[in-house]
Amino acid sequence: MSHYLQHLEHVKGRFDHALQGSDFDAVLIAAGQPAVAFLDDNAYPYRVNPLFKYWLPITASPKSFIYYRSGEKPRLFLYQARDFWHSTPKLPPGEWQEGFDVTLIDNVETVVQALGKQVSNTAFLGEVHAPIDSWGLAALNPESMIHSIHFHRAIKTEWELQNMRKANVLAARGHNAARDAFYAGKSELEIHAAYLAAMKCRETETPYNSIIALNQNGAILHYDVYDADAPAEHRSFLIDAGAYYNGYCADITRSYAAKDGFYGDLVAAVDAAELAIIKKVKPGVSYYDLHVEMHRMIAQILADFGFFKVNAETIFERGYTRPFFPHGLGHYIGLQVHDVGGYLKSDDGTSYERDATHPFLRLRRELEAGQVFTIEPGIYVIDQLLEEFDGNEDFNWQRIAELRPYGGVRIEDSVVVTADGYENITRDAFASLS
């Protein structure tokens, strides 16, 4: 059996488990549909329901549905509009067609007509809108079922891992082109265009807005403005940009110095720390513990580079790392960039409590083989976060001011937990292109 068909059996098993613990006989999963802008007739870019593309690699066919009853072959209601204004989405060829009974539809009401009385015992998963809300379904997005599926989605199948490896190769190709554009003195907008061209995709075909930040803009964690004009001087470049393959995500960050010196040395130090923390990845380790250990490493870097007048242990104990490294160490990744289930203790929805010390950490679970997550430490000069420490003599404000024109540093890879360690699929992707 192929990796995809094995994956499909795995997904069916996870939905069987969710249905067994519910009051429902079946589930109906909607692909979703584009939302139209207010007082306009143009739609926002369409994003498929992640629970739909979990079943099969169809990401551009809105108004389609999957119906699944335990023990039966899933049914795919594939929407193909009778429309001379737009092109019909191209369906990916392949063995997914073996796994479904396919019915072509050009009206979504065909779905409820085909299912008949079965809808009254069917749970719906997806965006709720007319006419779905009038179909008489048993439940709309029941939390118990969503918790169960989200918890188990953290463990990836081999088919999912293959897609994520390929997504990382695509993104790495774009990153290399963006790096070259930076060294050629291009603007943020031109660098972004180079990134997309290298991957041969449109901006709407990436999993999130790329962060293309020159100089001080690297201190804005989700910067996506893209200045059209190049700055007078290129000092630094931070790029956080991803790619899709069969609906699965890559999420990579790299930082570059325009020339050797202080900032380039800081990039090298953060890169070394990122690789060092990844070496600790193995089953049974707490991701929270990795996050805390990363703060200790950041404290050492801050001390080594003279950002403080106190030692690394004091920097850590007094919480001084947090304004420089305010976000979490990383997050699950898969069908979504920030994939789900990071705080679930079990499939019944029991969750870890949020830690007030590290409120932006997205992942608290213990590591298990098959999980995929990012590791993304950073150091930034964010004036808003430094305000509360104004006048604190432990800080070397002159040294901090030297970093401000460079913004910050972040390095990010995606890591698979294996039976005895890890696989760094991002570094492997870059290596495959060298």
Side-chain angles (χ1 to χ4, degrees), residues 91-114:
L91 297 177
E95 56 203 352
W96 65 265
Q97 299 177 47
E98 301 175 26
F100 293 83
D101 284 331
V102 181
T103 300
L104 298 180
I105 63 172
D106 59 15
N107 185 329
V108 296
E109 292 287 359
T110 303
V111 177
V112 69
Q113 293 166 6

Side-chain angles (χ1 to χ4, degrees), residues 353-373:
E353 292 184 3
R354 290 279 174 178
D355 185 342
T357 306
H358 303 285
F360 301 113
L361 181 60
R362 297 178 183 269
L363 176 53
R364 287 292 306 268
R365 284 167 64 172
E366 187 175 280
L367 308 192
E368 298 178 61
Q371 292 177 346
V372 188
F373 46 75

Side-chain angles (χ1 to χ4, degrees), residues 310 312-323 389 392 394:
V310 294
E313 185 62 24
T314 302
I315 294 169
F316 175 78
E317 292 296 337
R318 294 182 179 176
Y320 292 159
T321 57
R322 294 198 290 273
F389 302 99
N392 189 319
D394 289 344

Side-chain angles (χ1 to χ4, degrees), residues 34 46 58-64 78-83 86-92 96 104:
Y46 165 70
I58 292 180
T59 60
S61 291
K63 300 184 181 180
S64 297
L78 187 62
Y79 185 85
Q80 292 192 313
R82 293 176 58 83
D83 179 5
H86 305 98
S87 63
T88 302
K90 294 180 180 178
L91 297 177
W96 65 265
L104 298 180

Side-chain angles (χ1 to χ4, degrees), residues 4 7-8 29-33 46-66 74-80 88-104 159 163 244-248 335:
Y4 168 72
H7 167 78
L8 182 58
I29 307 159
Q33 67 181 49
Y46 165 70
R47 291 292 175 94
V48 65
N49 176 0
L51 293 178
F52 184 90
K53 63 178 178 175
Y54 192 30
W55 286 79
L56 75 177
I58 292 180
T59 60
S61 291
K63 300 184 181 180
S64 297
F65 297 81
I66 295 169
R75 297 181 65 179
L76 172 62
F77 294 93
L78 187 62
Y79 185 85
Q80 292 192 313
T88 302
K90 294 180 180 178
L91 297 177
E95 56 203 352
W96 65 265
Q97 299 177 47
E98 301 175 26
F100 293 83
D101 284 331
V102 181
T103 300
L104 298 180
W159 185 74
N163 287 325
Y244 275 131
Y245 189 87
N246 278 342
Y248 285 84
L335 290 165

